[in-house]
Amino acid sequence: MSRFFSEKYSNLVPYTPGEQPKERKYIKLNTNESPFPPSEIALKMAAEASKRLMLYPDPDCKELTAALADLLDVSTDEIVWTNGSDDVLNFAFMAFCDDEHPAIFPDITYGFYSVFAEANRIPYRVIPLKEDFSISIEDFKRQKGTVFIANPNAPTGIALTLEQIEDLLLSDPNRVVVIDEAYVDFGGESCVPLIKKYDNLLVTQTFSKSRSMAGARLGFAVGSKDLISDIHTLRYATNPYNINTMTMAAGIGVLRDEDYTRTNCAKIIENRAYISSELKKLGFEMTDSKANFIFVRHPAIHGEKLYLFLKENGILVRHFSKARISEYCRITIGSREEMDELLKKIQIILEELV
Ligand code: PMP
């Protein structure tokens, strides 16, 4: 830390992203990226757009917004785009939380929520998941404050139903509920249609997972016109040109290639069923994941040991040292070949143990 760093950040512990090692080629099953390349249409449009890099991009993302509005059946003023969905989540903390409106989220969830709260000096409370790692809506209903829930949750993959979310929204129409749908395309139920009914609902999504564009950094939020206008105010107060020309073009391209996205999601769901059933045969226990990852533990191997063994053997998965989940590993669902390679390595470590 330099001697110039503002005191207000002196205790800030930043988010730790999953490893992105370059020293060796790994099968990367640690950051929930897609194993499939970006859409060909997206690539072509991004390349074409690169010829316009001397100009600023459209700060309103008009064409991209129109394409998404059409897909989601919402109006263009109910959408805001950001540099990955992390960015719009940060804006939501800035916009809808303060001392009177603390942030509330589950104890086990996306690790960035507490960092957003700390960075913006917002008070927050965590609500413990139930014993089975599911979210207790009743516990959230009892707490005042702005709610942040990942649905499906991470790293458990467990999804809430629309009825549960509606129950939460109805319990207090005077607080904002942010539903982070980063993983919704792999079997969850999106609550985007609920924005027409509840003006306190903000839904965030990303092009990083189901649309194979993690490197392009494209995320968005959907919500009532007024909530979205608040996010635009913050966006224009920080970086109005937040979506670069090539990313915007790639986004328009991938939305023209919706069949490709749907086919890839179906393959991930199929591979998830396959690897889950194979791992269960080997004695693994896991949550009921509706995401592009599974959350697993084995009675004979601690999560950290499995993580280290797989890393030594060229496969990266994610291990969290937090006590409640330290026995687990989160494994991204990759291609069928990657899942078979994973299985092979896991069989080896299990044989070594007996
Ligand atoms: N929400 C959750 C639950 C996530 O796991 C992630 C990815 N790490 C994000 C949001 C943010 O993803 P991105 O910024 O790539 O859109």
Side-chain angles (χ1 to χ4, degrees), residues 15 84-86 89 110 113 150 154 180 182-183 206 208-209 217:
Y15 178 69
S85 59
D86 279 339
L89 286 164
Y110 185 31
Y113 298 161
D180 170 356
Y183 300 106
T206 178
S208 298
K209 317 292 177 185
R217 313 304 300 125

Side-chain angles (χ1 to χ4, degrees), residues 244-258:
N244 73 69
T245 299
M246 286 171 22
T247 293
M248 208 183 299
I252 295 164
V254 72
L255 289 179
R256 287 188 192 159
D257 208 358
E258 193 57 11

Side-chain angles (χ1 to χ4, degrees), residues 227-240:
L227 288 184
I228 293 300
S229 149
D230 295 339
I231 305 274
H232 277 302
T233 300
L234 294 176
R235 191 173 70 81
Y236 268 83
T238 46
N239 180 9

